[in-house]
Amino acid sequence: MMMKDEARSDIDQEPILSDYYFTSILSHHTMESALSNHLSIKLSSSTLPSATLHDLFMGVLTEDQEIIKAVKDDLRAVKERDPACFSYVHCFLHFKGFLACQAHRVAHKLWSQNRKILALLIQNRVSEVLALDIHPGAKIGSGILLDHATGVVVGETAVIGDNVSILHNVTLGGTGKVGGDRHPKIGDGVLIGAGTCVLGNVRIGAGAKIGAGSVVLKDLPPRTTAVGNPAKLIGGKDNPVKLDKIPSHTMDHTSHIEFYDYVV
């Protein structure tokens, strides 16, 4: 297991971390066990013991191997797409976007089994501890990168495809005008820049890019680029634009992603 090799290498560099790495990684024989242990410690409280959460997480993860497959896809996605991530073990232990996504996968499974009280409990603890709020009813694909993750809000009927990258302070919410199916549907391979709001039951086509600080209220076609409030297309196959015409404010200076790199 690559994470165990990385953990041993980290211990060689920082022996003071040996107990932490042993408890979190090296003492576990499966991903299910390590993830259940780590999440339960992160999300426990004085009135919600880690042992209770561990049993809950372990039961769901061992029952549904599709979740573990998605966990591994998420690990690879973070390692490959976020240059701030220099190892799998670093992501597993410290990247709260990754951890929140895995807690959501468990909560969503419970929600689909009509165990909604437990699902909402996990959502609440993730919100309190990790500072992002994903409703357990939301459907999320695999290969997800929640970069920084602080302030991310995802509504109950939202759907997020595979290989999606979402930066901090992004809202996938409703407009407040309708009930029922009221949240965005995000296609595969979409990039959503920091501070963006996508509101209503709108569809963001596969491969679309949304610039930082945008407000999206209408559908976006696949493989297009949109920025602004309200968001307007500035690039893509059907609306080409030269790189030198993209306003500088469409770049997200707070992350590794430079927006013009993603214009089709």
Side-chain angles (χ1 to χ4, degrees), residues 40 42 57 74 133 144 159 193 204 206 229 255:
S40 65
K42 284 279 187 183
F57 288 131
D74 291 348
D133 194 353
I144 303 300
V159 178
I204 309 302
N229 179 7
S255 82

Side-chain angles (χ1 to χ4, degrees), residues 1 53 77 94 103 108 122 125 132 142 238 262:
M1 185 176 178
L53 285 174
H94 305 135
H108 180 70
I122 294 172
R125 288 302 297 154
L132 63 157
S142 63
D238 299 324
Y262 291 89

